[in-house]
Amino acid sequence: YQRRVREFQTFINYNVKLFIEASTAMTAVATKEHRGIPKAIFLEDVDGYMNEDAKEEKSATNVLQSFDEQLQKYKYMELNLIQRKKRLRAQIPDIEKTLEIVEHMLQKKEEFNTHFLLSDQVHAVAKVPPTEKVFLWLGANTMLEYSIDEAVALLTKNLNTAVVNAGQLDEDLEYLSNQITTMEVNMARVYNWDFKRRKAAAEQK
C-alpha cells in the first residue's frame, strides 16, 4: 500500500507540475516578467530610442526585425498557452464526472446499475456491488486503488487545481495579448518614424 501511495504521489506531483507550468500565484502587476512572460516596453520616444547610443548605429530595418522576432515569440507563447488551455478545459468535465460517480458510491453504499464503456461508442450494462475501494485511471497506462474517501479527496483537489489553473491561463493569455499589441504598436511607430525621416531627407535634396 505504501508503495502505491509513493507511486501515486510521484504521478500527481508530475501532473501538478504540468498544470502550473505557466501559472504561479502572483498578481498581474506590471513587472519585468509575468509568470515567465517578459514584459514588452512601450516605445514612447522613438527618436530618442533610435539615437540613444551614438556608438551603435540603429537602422529602422534592424530594429523592426528585432521587434518582429520578439512579436513572433509572444505569438508562439500564445499558441502554446491556448493548446494547454484546451487540454485543461477538456480534463475538467472528466474529473467532475468521475467525482460525481465516486460521491454517489460514498453516499449510497448499495448495489446499482451503470453503463460500462468497453470501447468507443460501445457500452455494457454492469452491476456495481457495494464497495469501499475504487480504481482511478490516472493516464499513462496507470490505474491505482484507493478508498472511496481518498478518491473523493484526490478528485476534489485535482478539480480545484484544474479550475484555478484554467483561470490563471486566461490571465496569461490576456497579458500576452497586451504584449502582442504593444509590440505591434512599437513596430508601427518605428516604421512611421523611418518614413518621416526618409521623406525629410528627400525634401532636403
Side-chain angles (χ1 to χ4, degrees):
Y1 175 76
Q2 290 180 346
R3 181 177 62 82
R4 290 202 302 269
V5 170
R6 287 195 298 270
E7 291 174 345
F8 162 73
Q9 288 175 337
T10 301
F11 185 85
I12 291 302
N13 288 338
Y14 172 74
N15 279 278
V16 169
K17 180 181 178 181
L18 292 180
F19 276 142
I20 60 175
E21 280 181 71
S23 306
T24 55
M26 61 179 290
T27 58
V29 178
T31 57
K32 291 184 179 179
E33 288 193 354
H34 172 90
R35 294 195 245 272
I37 304 171
K39 183 174 186 255
I41 305 301
F42 177 66
L43 202 58
E44 295 185 10
D45 183 5
V46 180
D47 191 64
Y49 175 80
M50 298 299 293
N51 299 290
E52 66 181 356
D53 192 347
K55 297 180 180 178
E56 179 183 356
E57 182 179 355
K58 287 183 179 178
S59 69
T61 301
N62 292 339
V63 170
L64 287 172
Q65 182 179 356
S66 175
F67 284 0
D68 185 61
E69 289 175 357
Q70 185 64 32
L71 176 63
Q72 296 310 314
K73 290 178 182 178
Y74 282 132
K75 289 185 175 181
Y76 177 79
M77 293 180 196
E78 183 182 44
L79 178 61
N80 192 297
L81 290 182
I82 289 174
Q83 292 173 342
R84 292 181 188 175
K85 179 181 174 181
K86 287 181 179 178
R87 290 196 297 267
L88 194 55
R89 291 295 186 188
Q91 289 174 351
I92 290 176
D94 290 338
I95 299 174
E96 289 175 333
K97 184 177 180 180
T98 303
L99 179 59
E100 180 182 354
I101 295 172
V102 175
E103 286 179 334
H104 176 80
M105 296 174 67
L106 178 63
Q107 295 171 4
K108 296 299 183 181
K109 294 186 178 179
E110 60 186 23
E111 184 179 278
F112 64 92
N113 294 330
T114 186
H115 290 84
F116 182 77
L117 179 64
L118 297 176
S119 62
D120 292 341
Q121 309 301 324
V122 179
H123 293 76
V125 177
K127 283 187 177 181
V128 180
T131 179
E132 297 295 331
K133 301 287 185 180
V134 294
F135 288 85
L136 294 183
W137 181 258
L138 301 178
N141 297 321
T142 303
M143 179 179 285
L144 293 179
E145 180 186 69
Y146 302 97
S147 71
I148 294 182
D149 289 333
E150 289 173 336
V152 169
L154 169 65
L155 291 168
T156 301
K157 179 181 177 181
N158 286 354
L159 178 59
N160 292 336
T161 300
V163 170
V164 168
N165 288 322
Q168 289 179 339
L169 282 173
D170 287 335
E171 292 177 4
D172 292 343
L173 285 168
E174 182 179 358
Y175 180 82
L176 262 175
S177 177
N178 291 335
Q179 308 320 299
I180 289 172
T181 300
T182 298
M183 292 308 301
E184 289 174 340
V185 171
N186 285 344
M187 293 177 68
R189 287 169 61 82
V190 171
Y191 179 85
N192 291 338
W193 174 88
D194 186 56
F195 176 80
K196 292 178 181 179
R197 182 183 64 84
R198 291 174 181 272
K199 182 179 179 180
E203 289 175 352
Q204 290 179 356
K205 293 180 180 180

